Amino acid sequence: MNVVPPLLRTAAPLVESAGALAEHPADVTPAAALHPVLEVDALSLWYGGSRALNSISLAIPEKRVTAFIGPSGCGKSTLLRCFNRLNDLVDSVRVEGDIRFRGASIFDPGLDVNLLRKRIGMVFQKSNPFPKSIYENVAYGCRIHGVSRRDELEGIVERSLRGAALWGEVKDRLQASALGLSGGQQQRLCIARAIAVEPEVLLLDEPCSALDPVATAKIEALIHELKTHYTIVIVTHNMQQAARVSDDTAFLYLGELIEAGTTTQIFTAPAQRETEDYITGRFG
């Protein structure tokens, strides 16, 4: 008689999501064997006197989906916001260590932070369309970066909306207010706005947390399509979502990186007891 290990019994739905999806099979190539686009080296961060991240080292491989998981307050979103230096906007933040983007430190004093944020785009937890038309939402970043020709903007808007799987739903009302879209459509519009400026990396901070299951499924399907063109890092509290959409997973707890590896490995054979306890629901 075969005995199923307790971890696999408890996490069976996650295992199925991570390794047995026929439509979107996980890439099980170890991240360490791939070319990293982002490298985190002994990164620590403080908000005032409170340490939020503690000596984290991690590689983000190119054109894969990396998920950050862990309980609330563990540092997932803080780490994500380090990649395009959004934490710079918080007065009390202090950082030690380094993050390299394509081999160059993002903390180099000569770095153009606006250019960094163009190359590393961000989509937030709550959709935040501008109070403008659908067209102007997508064109906004391109205008900021100097694109002004109407024919060029029209091409970018259509290409970006198609890339975000939204073109068919809005092509006949591009001048309508973006605020009239549904929540799921607004989030896909924000993704279209992010990819319009042709970033290399997309950061997704819990992009489905406020969406219903149908809208969530559309975003997840979109993530699988986008990873052929972009490196994606996603923060999620949804364990099943992490297993469904990501190739690699990093588990954070109390500001420390406990374990990182392929998603299949993390969900089926974690090396650390804390990881096993978290994914099997013993805490978090």
Side-chain angles (χ1 to χ4, degrees), residues 40 42-45 51-58 68-76 78-79 250-260 272 274-275 283:
V40 185
L43 184 76
S44 295
L45 181 145
R51 186 193 291 250
L53 298 175
N54 184 19
S55 194
I56 289 178
S57 295
L58 177 69
F68 290 169
I69 63 171
S72 296
C74 70
K76 303 184 299 294
T78 294
L79 178 58
F251 170 53
L252 286 82
Y253 183 55
L254 298 178
E256 298 193 359
L257 176 63
I258 303 301
E259 186 172 357
Q272 302 300 321
E274 296 99 322
T275 310
F283 74 94

Side-chain angles (χ1 to χ4, degrees), residues 81-128:
R81 290 164 182 256
C82 285
F83 292 139
N84 63 355
R85 290 182 52 180
L86 281 183
N87 289 318
D88 288 11
L89 303 176
V90 181
D91 291 338
S92 61
V93 161
R94 177 169 63 90
V95 175
E96 291 182 359
D98 197 14
I99 298 175
R100 292 182 294 277
F101 176 43
R102 299 204 179 279
S105 174
I106 69 168
F107 300 116
D108 187 318
L111 179 78
D112 183 338
V113 177
N114 289 326
L115 179 58
L116 175 70
R117 292 172 184 158
K118 176 179 181 289
R119 298 176 69 191
I120 304 179
M122 184 91 174
V123 176
F124 296 92
Q125 178 176 358
K126 184 177 180 181
S127 57
N128 58 345

Side-chain angles (χ1 to χ4, degrees), residues 37-38 60 64 66 68 76-87 99 101 106 116-125 187 190-191 194-195 199-207 223 226 230-235:
V37 64
L38 286 160
I60 304 295
R64 285 166 68 98
T66 300
F68 290 169
K76 303 184 299 294
S77 292
T78 294
L79 178 58
L80 192 77
R81 290 164 182 256
C82 285
F83 292 139
N84 63 355
R85 290 182 52 180
L86 281 183
N87 289 318
I99 298 175
F101 176 43
I106 69 168
L116 175 70
R117 292 172 184 158
K118 176 179 181 289
R119 298 176 69 191
I120 304 179
M122 184 91 174
V123 176
F124 296 92
Q125 178 176 358
Q187 194 66 302
C190 291
I191 292 174
I195 66 178
E200 298 167 56
V201 179
L202 274 178
L203 309 177
L204 308 178
D205 192 359
E206 296 190 64
I223 288 171
L226 290 173
Y230 310 99
T231 301
I232 298 175
V233 188
I234 180 172
V235 165

